[in-house]
DNA sequence: CATGAATGAGGATTCATTCAT
DNA sequence: GATGAATGAATCCTCATTCAT
């Protein structure tokens, strides 16, 4: 990648960063390209050189976040640790990531967020597979835990969603309460609760 | 309440119902009053006889849902059962309610949903207190459980949010997977997981 | 006119009165039938039993005012006084009338008021003739004064409009300055100024 | 001011001009932005790049007119002529201005025009001060005339409003009679009438 | 007759997107 | 490439008028 390319990538990142902030503050519909352009210190027109629409900008954001999560999850599930240890690692690493990227958390709510079946089917088509891939990876860990008799014999996806639900609500609480205190403080409690609950 | 009044209330409900469906399908911003009016089989103008703005319509919806949840929670926490039993009842009843009102679930996401601090502060002022009251009621149960040595010695609000997180993600999964199968099937699993996790 | 009729007329007057107040406060377009209905303590629908449209209501108001002015002017110009005395009487009586009916004054501005050639030609067709009749009556007095060598030899309509202009601006000032002090106080000054100006 | 800026100002003027015509034809409320946009040969949206609302557009128009009048009045009252001569000059110059800007005249009616205390208090706040400044400047001339024993010993503001009233009614007549004949023809008559009336 | 709920056309305003400079 | 003015479709909301009760 030559300098040209690198420059372009860097500017793309800057726009994404600005967009993240604005989307997190105002939500997808309420945020305007003017807001984003101002924050990014680019002209509105310039943004269209990097993203082909507002939707595309937003979806790129989500995609990037999901890719990052994917990296994190992959790094854990491909380790040789036991399922229990992997779950501990997952909680810990996802927490750290979301604490640093709380805007991503605020933007992303796949199960009911801004983009809906009815109005944005192609948007979902672009995002959901990535989300589901992440879910799948975690579910595999759960399955293995069950197979090894370490986890309760329930539908493994129930465990996955429970795990994600706990993490989300935990961060939601943190955001709601004004982001005071380190989020990490809760990791231990959360981990114990989940593991005691999931364990056989 | 005379016939006039009753009729008026009935029509209000009809509009709320239509609005619920549309908001759930498209989200607050994407939903238009035309959509809602058409669904409700009223003219656009008529809706303004019942609600003073789109915001008001939406918030009324949320309020009603929160009030219903409030009733449910109150009926449980005011019973004489033990905290553990109350938690079991809560999960069971909230599940039943949300299964029947899944649109409400899709609409309501206080910690990041459509209305944001920056753009709709008064909207939040109208909703958040009700939400927090519900959280408070549940948190009291958790506190009592902790006091009695039945639940882990953690910040009680962590337990409350964990509970809500599990419920939400569970319904989210149900919605995402196309709402096949009875949601109630999961209640038992969820209950066990949460209680095993929360218990001391 | 039987009781039925009289009742009807009385209610019509009540509505006109309420309408006058509202139109004066908000102007023709900004005033709504809801405002007027509330002020009149009638239902919106009822008003349509007395006037066939908002335009009609407004025009009826103007017409009534112009008719009253017409009566006043006629009573003066048909007297046997000299033109100069008639002018004095006109000023005095019109002032008294407009002071008591300042809302009419605020509503009526034939040369540029709410109704315009382009948008309300038929409205003007209904009003302008009455207005012009009043102008004509006064102009006759001016003509006579000129013929008798009492007034300056200028286009008589110039004198008429000058007279009206002085009266209007005088009331305008009174309204603008918060309607404090009796308007009548100015009559003498105005009369002298106009007569000294118009006299040969 | 560079070309960019100049272009922008020119387009702003064009929009103001179109708006002036439309507002004069139809009045503030009846005029629509579509009308104005069409006349200005701009898109509706473009107008919002120059004015932040219909109100703002209208008020800018009034403001500009008042500023122009202000310039005219100032140029006269700051001359070293006698008060009588200044009054003559005022009448002459204001006539010339309003004849060229009869639309401004039709739009502007501060004492009862479109904007009312009840409905547009901030609009009045923006306009009235300028109007009153103009009145004040003229009133000073009247005061000086009185002090020098040239004008009648009456409340000076009465003279000011009388002057404006005569001018307005005169132009009103001209407009009403179809704008035939030069307005200037009347200036002499008006001047004599006013001065003879006002003089001691 | 009176009422006031319902209608629906109409208008101000916003904003994603385009494109001339 | 970048800019930001212009576009115009889209949407909320208002209100004169009608009409069932």
């Amino acid at each position: 990648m030559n300098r040209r390319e690198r420059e372009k990538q860097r500017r793309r990142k800057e726009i994404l960063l600005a967009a993240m902030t604005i989307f997190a503050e105002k939500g997808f519909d309420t945020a305007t390209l003017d807001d984003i352009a101002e924050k990014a210190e680019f002209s509105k027109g310039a943004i269209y050189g990097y993203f082909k629409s507002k939707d595309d900008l937003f979806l790129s954001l989500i995609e990037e976040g999901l890719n990052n999560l994917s990296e994190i999850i992959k790094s854990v599930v491909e380790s040789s640790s036991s399922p229990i240890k992997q779950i501990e690692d997952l909680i810990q690493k996802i927490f750290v990531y979301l604490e640093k990227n709380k805007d991503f958390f605020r933007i992303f709510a796949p199960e009911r967020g801004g983009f809906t079946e009815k109005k944005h089917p192609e948007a979902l088509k672009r995002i959901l597979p990535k989300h589901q891939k992440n879910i799948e990876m975690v579910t595999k860990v759960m399955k293995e835990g069950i197979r090894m008799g370490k986890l309760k014999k329930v539908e493994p996806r129930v465990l996955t969603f429970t795990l994600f639900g706990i993490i989300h609500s935990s961060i939601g609480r943190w955001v709601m309460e004004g982001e005071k205190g380190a989020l990490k403080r809760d990791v231990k409690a959360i981990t114990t609760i989940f593991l005691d609950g999931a364990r056989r």
Side-chain angles (χ1 to χ4, degrees), chain A residues 19 68 73 80 89 106 123 152 154 164 172 174 188:
Chain A
N68 292 339
I73 293 170
S80 58
D89 289 350
R106 306 186 100 195
K152 286 196 168 75
V154 296
F164 282 169
W174 179 63
K188 207 155 174 275

Side-chain angles (χ1 to χ4, degrees), chain A residues 13 20 60-78 86-87 89-111 127-139 141 160 163-165 167-168 171 183:
Chain A
K13 285 274 181 217
M20 178 86 88
S60 301
L61 221 43
I62 302 290
E63 260 180 334
E64 212 199 44
L66 287 176
N67 287 341
N68 292 339
L69 273 184
S70 197
E71 289 304 314
I72 291 168
I73 293 170
K74 209 194 299 183
S75 79
V76 171
V77 303
E78 287 181 348
Q86 288 190 354
I87 290 170
D89 289 350
L90 275 173
I91 295 176
Q92 207 269 330
K93 291 195 167 175
I94 292 177
F95 255 85
V96 169
Y97 178 71
L98 289 183
E99 178 166 21
K100 270 207 294 232
N101 297 274
K102 63 176 189 296
D103 284 338
F104 171 65
F105 162 76
R106 306 186 100 195
I107 284 169
F108 180 50
E111 61 274 28
I127 278 182
L128 274 189
K130 285 190 193 291
H131 183 49
Q132 265 150 358
K133 205 190 88 195
N134 288 346
I135 288 170
E136 235 30 76
M137 285 194 292
V138 176
T139 302
V141 177
T160 304
L163 178 58
F164 282 169
I167 292 173
H168 273 179
I171 296 170
L183 191 49

Side-chain angles (χ1 to χ4, degrees), chain A residues 97-193:
Chain A
Y97 178 71
L98 289 183
E99 178 166 21
K100 270 207 294 232
N101 297 274
K102 63 176 189 296
D103 284 338
F104 171 65
F105 162 76
R106 306 186 100 195
I107 284 169
F108 180 50
E111 61 274 28
R112 48 196 170 355
F115 288 96
T116 63
E117 195 75 49
K118 270 275 166 61
K119 268 284 171 168
H120 306 273
E122 1 66 44
L124 290 184
K125 219 174 290 165
R126 181 165 156 195
I127 278 182
L128 274 189
K130 285 190 193 291
H131 183 49
Q132 265 150 358
K133 205 190 88 195
N134 288 346
I135 288 170
E136 235 30 76
M137 285 194 292
V138 176
T139 302
K140 247 189 208 151
V141 177
M142 300 302 179
K143 271 187 187 144
E144 180 63 8
I146 294 167
R147 201 190 55 76
M148 290 168 68
K150 302 288 190 188
L151 299 179
K152 286 196 168 75
K153 267 192 176 157
V154 296
E155 170 65 47
R157 286 170 68 83
V158 167
L159 291 178
T160 304
F161 275 83
T162 297
L163 178 58
F164 282 169
I166 290 177
I167 292 173
H168 273 179
S169 68
S170 194
I171 296 170
R173 183 170 65 86
W174 179 63
V175 168
M176 228 176 121
E177 291 174 352
E179 297 167 26
K180 38 182 194 219
L183 191 49
K184 278 175 281 185
R185 241 181 24 199
D186 296 330
V187 174
K188 207 155 174 275
I190 295 298
T191 307
T192 314
I193 292 172

Side-chain angles (χ1 to χ4, degrees), chain A residues 19-27 30-31 35 39 103 106-107:
Chain A
M20 178 86 88
T21 313
I22 300 294
F23 282 134
E25 265 175 11
K26 309 199 174 177
T30 310
D35 293 335
K39 185 84 176 184
D103 284 338
R106 306 186 100 195
I107 284 169

Side-chain angles (χ1 to χ4, degrees), chain A residues 25-54:
Chain A
E25 265 175 11
K26 309 199 174 177
F28 177 76
D29 287 287
T30 310
T32 70
L33 273 181
D34 277 299
D35 293 335
I36 294 167
E38 193 187 10
K39 185 84 176 184
E41 298 180 79
F42 274 90
S43 75
K44 230 184 326 178
I47 294 179
Y48 281 83
Y50 295 89
F51 302 92
K52 67 175 188 300
S53 68
K54 189 188 180 188

